[in-house]
Amino acid sequence: MYRTALRNVLAHKGRLLMTALAVMLGTAFVAGTMVFSDTFGKAMRDSNSKSYSDVSVQVVDNAAGSRVSAKEKSESGSATLTDASVQQFAALPGTAGARGVVSGFTGVADRNGNLVGQFWAARGANFTPGQDGGDTRYPMAEGRGPANGKEIALDRKTADKAGYKVGDTVRVAANGPVIEAKLTGIFTTADPVVNSGGTLTLFDRATAQQLLLEPGRYSSIVLTAKPGTTEDALLAQVQPTVPAGSQFDVETGAKLKADEQKQIAEGTNTLRTVLLAFAGISLFVGIFIIANTFTMLVAQRTKELALLRAIGASRKQVTRSVLVEALAIGVVSAVAGLLAGVGIGAGLQSLMSTLNADMPQGSLVIKPLTIGVTLLVGVLVTVLSALLPAMRASRIAPVAAMSNGDQPVSQKSLVVRNTIGSLLAAGGLALIGFGASTGNDTGRMPVAIGAFLALIGVFVLLPLLSRPVIALVGPVLHKLAGTPGKLAQQNAVRNPRRTASTAAALTIGLTLVTGLTVLGASVTGVIDRAITDSMKADYLVGTANGMGLSDQVPGEIAKAPGVAASSPLTSVYWKLDGTSKAISGLNADSFDQLASVKLTSGSTAALGQGRLLVDQDVATKFNVTTGSTMAVTFPDKSTGQLTVGGVYEKGGMLGPVVLANGEILKHEPKAQVTDVLVKGKDGATDALKQSLKDATGANPVIEVKSKQDVRDRFSQSITFILNLMYGLLAMSVLVAVLGVINTLAMSVFERKREIGMLRAIGLDRRGIKRMVRLESVVISLFGAGIGVLLGCFIAWAVNGTLKSSLAGLTTVVPYGQLALFLLLAGLVGLVAAIWPARRASKLDILESIKTD
């Protein structure tokens, strides 16, 4: 029986090719993901291995710079790291040396005024010269370190990118106006920020503190232990000196390095999980192809298998023979997938380096786990997919099968199948509806479980759905394509199970693609409405990295030509009635010119009276209305009361609570300025935009955005995510195409006699091609149509769970895009039918008719 199974594999190489390709693609995705994530993770760990090589103990001020949110900064208290702190730690018996570190965002402009590198990897720090005038952290390759506020030093990679040499004037900026400084030195460093493609700018200590923090303040203090003093021993000496209740973290260098390695591992594991999820989708699609292939092979070999039963083969032997075929295909395909996966991993690494030449590189890492998982997954998926067809093969009755090549489907099996499918689909849809009705994140798990059950239920019901749905297009096909169209429709419904299995692969892909598209359109729509409804300003001025603006920027913008009204948009976190809430601040006298809220009670004039405006959620939660008072705890721990001057509908760009800047600055003079809203005398003009840019010193870090720019920024982010998802789903769509090709090719083989008869009675080769192509298009559109409907429903349910976080969210169905998806699905079916159609048209008439 085993020799027979292997002979059958070799005898049906062509028919099994597409199945093998489907398994290979799925396993290649798995292997490639694991190879790439392991390689990338190792390269990142190696790149960061020197980050804390000179650190025995580090004291970090979590309230410094942009490390924490405005809320944490407001609650951090008054303790800071200063020169006195450095001297205090240096005096400890186990300390060999202590140095203060200043760190924060700093952008570097190239010669065209554009930001060098990415804003999230642009950093500035202080140059701390020793007795020899150098800083061991940043050895100078050319020139010397900065000595005053008019000098800077750049890392070698940044200087080369921008084309700067020692002596050039360089424009840099933190969160305020641009600074022009002389480049006095170019240094080399093992800093992971630079090794990852970022930029590093060095200032003298006083300038770094002034620009990145505040005079006299450090972000952290690094201690080096004396010989014979362990890191833990030094840590024990430092901890008692740290002020109680401060926002200081004290850790050893070993712990910091271990935490960084752990963070890298978690990041690569997250990346691996996401990629493996899409690999799993591809394999899930492949299951339908494999099961369909073996079902058709069993049907085509009915007489052969029946003969084996007649001469003494047991049911177990027949089952095993089919499973051995699947095992052989699985092993070969998994090995090929592993080899292809190594190539995919190398390709992804090369792509990463192409997109960012400074990303850490390393040799490919192929772990034994990768090899084992890839082979196991490939074999298991293939064998388990062939299990049901193998069991069906074992049930073939010898005499009945030899007398009739067609296996009748029992009414009982269809009833059982349809009943199970109906129960699964109904249960899934009910769970989806329940989850959507919650209106918050508690409904996400029911929606997820319901979506899975509904998807499985629909798959089970696809044979039942195929007949009436495909029958609807019969008249259209007959009218457009004549006899070939009618035959194509009849062929598509002749074997509903086969049609359903072929269509299911496309249903999966279109369900996911449609769901993502509808979600993206819905979120984009609500954000667009929020910006349009709440932003009356012509321009929004803010930093590219979302950091706060310098206190000087609002004043410079207010004086710019063409500005009719402007206001800094501040953000603080205060406790209202014992609960910390985000409070947005705007100037009371220009509020109505720059922003808009939909009031349900009260008036915006209340801002000028020092009163609060709160949204409906806050009003409901705290049971307040216009005229109510709320207890407030300020950052300095003092308390007071604020009166509610109005209640507005939730949503928009202002957040849950609004207060006049004048009131905020009384209690928090250093409130973070997130943006500046500007209204022009002549509206949004190019002249005004240029004027605002000039007011910031043409700072490459500061952006001047119109309403449309803000909308585009959000939509571009969503579009990027969608395109990434589409790219990852492309593998499953490709596998689905292979399934359509495989099914059609094997169907042509089954219908050789029928095709021969059609040719004999006058249907020409063009008609045969048209028949096969239309059959493929009909099956593809059937699967795609079911997927589009299911995807829209699931997206509607997910939107229901997001309503608590996105006020005004409604489901937006992009009909144009969905129509395009259906058109592409039809095109996929047309392309998939090219080879089977050509094969069918070239069959010899006489040989086909006499086929047994």
Side-chain angles (χ1 to χ4, degrees):
M1 291 299 294
Y2 295 125
R3 286 198 300 270
T4 301
L6 294 176
R7 178 186 61 79
N8 285 328
V9 172
L10 296 175
H12 303 127
K13 294 188 293 292
R15 278 177 271 174
L16 293 171
L17 176 62
M18 297 301 171
T19 301
L21 282 175
V23 178
M24 186 199 76
L25 287 174
T27 53
F29 205 161
V30 172
T33 293
M34 298 183 74
V35 169
F36 171 68
S37 59
D38 289 337
T39 301
F40 183 68
K42 183 177 183 300
M44 288 291 291
R45 289 192 296 273
D46 291 345
S47 173
N48 289 270
S49 61
K50 299 180 181 179
S51 298
Y52 301 100
S53 58
D54 62 339
V55 178
S56 297
V57 172
Q58 181 172 264
V59 183
V60 179
D61 182 357
N62 283 323
S66 60
R67 285 180 175 271
V68 295
S69 66
K71 172 185 176 182
E72 294 170 314
K73 187 174 179 181
S74 295
E75 298 174 349
S76 63
S78 58
T80 59
L81 296 175
T82 63
D83 287 323
S85 306
V86 175
Q87 295 169 8
Q88 180 185 20
F89 294 138
L92 294 173
T95 303
R99 71 169 185 271
V101 177
V102 182
S103 181
F105 171 80
T106 301
V108 181
D110 61 18
R111 295 186 182 277
N112 296 320
N114 299 317
L115 184 69
V116 178
Q118 300 295 326
F119 65 82
W120 45 264
R123 195 163 64 85
N126 60 314
F127 179 75
T128 307
Q131 293 181 352
D132 60 353
D135 189 330
T136 55
R137 298 172 298 165
Y138 311 113
M140 291 293 159
E142 299 178 32
R144 59 173 177 79
N148 55 60
K150 294 296 184 180
E151 297 177 348
I152 63 166
L154 292 176
D155 67 272
R156 167 63 72 187
K157 291 182 178 180
T158 301
D160 290 344
K161 282 180 187 175
Y164 288 130
K165 297 179 180 179
V166 172
D168 288 346
T169 298
V170 181
R171 303 171 75 249
V172 297
N175 65 339
V178 73
I179 296 171
E180 293 188 351
K182 181 180 179 181
L183 181 62
T184 61
I186 296 175
F187 60 90
T188 59
T189 178
D191 192 297
V193 171
V194 176
N195 290 338
S196 299
T199 62
L200 180 58
T201 307
L202 297 183
F203 304 92
D204 69 284
R205 177 182 58 82
T207 304
Q209 291 176 331
Q210 176 68 37
L211 291 177
L212 307 180
L213 293 174
E214 55 188 45
R217 188 174 182 180
Y218 293 103
S219 308
S220 61
I221 295 176
V222 173
L223 308 181
T224 304
K226 288 181 178 179
T229 302
T230 64
E231 291 186 355
D232 289 333
L234 182 57
L235 178 68
Q237 296 176 22
V238 172
Q239 285 176 329
T241 66
V242 174
S246 66
Q247 293 291 313
F248 297 164
D249 278 345
V250 186
E251 298 288 357
T252 64
K255 178 65 165 53
L256 291 169
K257 184 175 180 179
D259 288 345
E260 189 170 79
Q261 299 287 352
K262 180 181 178 182
Q263 187 177 10
I264 292 171
E266 290 175 349
T268 53
N269 287 339
T270 300
L271 174 65
R272 174 186 293 190
T273 300
V274 172
L275 293 176
L276 285 178
F278 286 93
I281 294 171
S282 297
L283 287 170
F284 187 54
V285 172
I287 287 173
F288 292 93
I289 298 174
I290 299 165
N292 210 17
T293 299
F294 278 95
T295 297
M296 295 178 73
L297 283 176
V298 167
Q300 291 172 9
R301 288 160 43 200
T302 297
K303 292 184 179 181
E304 175 189 329
L305 293 173
L307 180 60
L308 290 174
R309 290 293 314 283
I311 62 176
S314 66
R315 287 189 172 186
K316 287 185 178 180
Q317 286 178 312
V318 172
T319 301
R320 288 172 185 167
S321 70
V322 177
L323 292 180
V324 167
E325 290 183 51
L327 178 64
I329 295 170
V331 169
V332 173
S333 302
V335 171
L338 176 62
L339 296 176
V342 173
I344 290 175
L348 288 174
Q349 186 187 28
S350 177
L351 176 64
M352 185 71 74
S353 63
T354 300
L355 296 175
N356 188 342
D358 296 311
M359 288 300 288
Q361 298 294 312
S363 57
L364 282 180
V365 177
I366 307 173
K367 294 183 177 180
L369 179 64
T370 300
I371 298 173
V373 168
T374 303
L375 296 178
L376 183 63
V377 167
V379 171
L380 278 180
V381 166
T382 309
V383 172
L384 292 177
S385 301
L387 183 59
L388 188 58
M391 293 173 63
R392 287 177 183 164
S394 70
R395 297 193 185 106
I396 296 174
V399 175
M402 284 189 288
S403 62
N404 186 355
D406 296 325
Q407 295 183 67
V409 179
S410 67
Q411 188 66 28
K412 180 181 177 181
S413 69
L414 292 175
V415 171
V416 171
R417 178 183 181 124
N418 293 337
T419 301
I420 293 174
S422 298
L423 290 174
L424 287 172
L429 294 176
L431 274 175
I432 292 173
F434 168 74
S437 67
T438 61
N440 54 51
D441 55 5
T442 60
R444 291 173 190 171
M445 186 57 68
V447 168
I449 297 173
F452 177 76
L453 292 177
L455 197 60
I456 298 300
V458 168
F459 290 160
V460 176
L461 289 174
L462 280 177
L464 179 66
L465 296 173
S466 64
R467 287 186 180 275
V469 173
I470 296 178
L472 292 175
V473 301
V476 178
L477 289 176
H478 191 195
K479 185 175 181 179
L480 294 177
T483 300
K486 184 177 182 180
L487 291 171
Q489 183 263 333
Q490 292 175 348
N491 289 335
V493 298
R494 177 184 298 179
N495 192 327
R497 284 185 173 177
R498 183 186 304 166
T499 297
S501 298
T502 307
L506 284 169
T507 299
I508 297 171
L510 265 296
T511 298
L512 295 171
V513 169
T514 300
L516 290 170
T517 302
V518 173
L519 281 173
S522 301
V523 172
T524 300
V526 70
I527 292 174
D528 184 77
R529 289 194 300 274
I531 294 170
T532 302
D533 293 343
S534 63
M535 180 177 169
K536 294 170 70 175
D538 294 316
Y539 287 104
L540 188 72
V541 182
T543 59
N545 62 349
M547 287 177 55
L549 289 164
S550 166
D551 295 340
Q552 304 169 15
V553 173
E556 295 296 326
I557 288 176
K559 295 184 293 185
V563 173
S566 69
S567 169
L569 177 62
T570 59
S571 177
V572 295
Y573 280 82
W574 293 352
K575 285 187 177 180
L576 296 177
D577 284 352
T579 302
S580 183
K581 298 296 294 183
I583 300 177
S584 300
L586 279 172
N587 292 346
D589 57 355
S590 57
F591 180 87
D592 289 331
Q593 293 176 272
L594 302 171
S596 174
V597 290
K598 296 181 179 178
L599 290 166
T600 58
S601 65
S603 168
T604 56
L607 288 173
Q609 302 165 7
R611 297 187 177 189
L612 291 168
L613 298 181
V614 300
D615 71 13
Q616 192 63 56
D617 277 6
V618 172
T620 302
K621 180 179 179 180
F622 292 92
N623 193 26
V624 296
T625 59
T626 299
S628 300
T629 58
M630 301 184 75
V632 57
T633 303
F634 301 109
D636 59 3
K637 307 303 180 185
S638 63
T639 59
Q641 285 191 333
L642 289 172
T643 302
V644 177
V647 178
Y648 58 90
E649 294 181 5
K650 182 182 177 183
M653 59 183 288
L654 294 180
V657 182
V658 180
L659 186 63
N661 278 329
E663 292 297 315
I664 290 177
L665 295 177
K666 288 179 183 178
H667 305 282
E668 192 164 351
K670 295 293 184 180
Q672 183 184 35
V673 179
T674 58
D675 298 284
V676 178
L677 299 177
V678 180
K679 187 74 173 177
K681 294 177 180 177
D682 300 316
T685 63
D686 291 339
L688 176 60
K689 187 172 185 177
Q690 187 60 50
S691 174
L692 296 176
K693 287 183 177 181
D694 293 340
T696 64
N699 193 322
V701 174
I702 297 179
E703 297 179 327
V704 180
K705 296 172 287 188
S706 65
K707 278 187 184 181
Q708 189 59 48
D709 293 333
V710 175
R711 288 197 290 258
D712 290 345
R713 176 65 60 86
F714 282 109
S715 63
Q716 285 170 3
S717 300
I718 294 172
T719 300
F720 173 78
I721 295 172
L722 288 177
N723 289 338
L724 181 63
M725 295 295 185
Y726 293 158
L728 293 172
L729 287 171
M731 184 68 77
S732 61
V733 174
L734 178 58
V735 173
V737 172
L738 293 177
V740 176
I741 296 173
N742 202 29
T743 300
L744 289 174
M746 297 182 74
S747 177
V748 167
F749 179 83
E750 277 187 351
R751 304 201 308 255
K752 284 178 68 176
R753 178 180 292 176
E754 174 189 325
I755 292 171
M757 289 297 296
L758 290 172
R759 293 275 285 115
I761 62 176
L763 189 62
D764 59 10
R765 289 185 175 182
R766 182 178 296 178
I768 294 293
K769 286 183 182 180
R770 187 178 300 172
M771 176 187 72
V772 175
R773 289 170 184 165
L774 288 175
E775 179 184 352
S776 176
V777 171
V778 167
I779 293 174
S780 298
L781 287 176
F782 168 65
I786 297 295
V788 166
L789 293 176
L790 192 56
C792 287
F793 183 69
I794 293 174
W796 166 81
V798 173
N799 281 338
T801 67
L802 296 174
K803 286 184 177 179
S804 61
S805 355
L806 288 172
L809 179 64
T810 57
T811 300
V812 177
V813 180
Y815 294 103
Q817 285 181 269
L818 300 188
L820 178 61
F821 292 156
L822 291 175
L823 180 63
L824 290 175
L827 183 61
V828 163
L830 195 62
V831 172
I834 292 176
W835 178 62
R838 286 174 59 85
R839 183 182 179 188
S841 67
K842 291 183 178 180
L843 290 176
D844 184 88
I845 297 176
L846 295 178
E847 287 186 3
S848 299
I849 291 175
K850 70 178 183 180
T851 297
D852 186 17

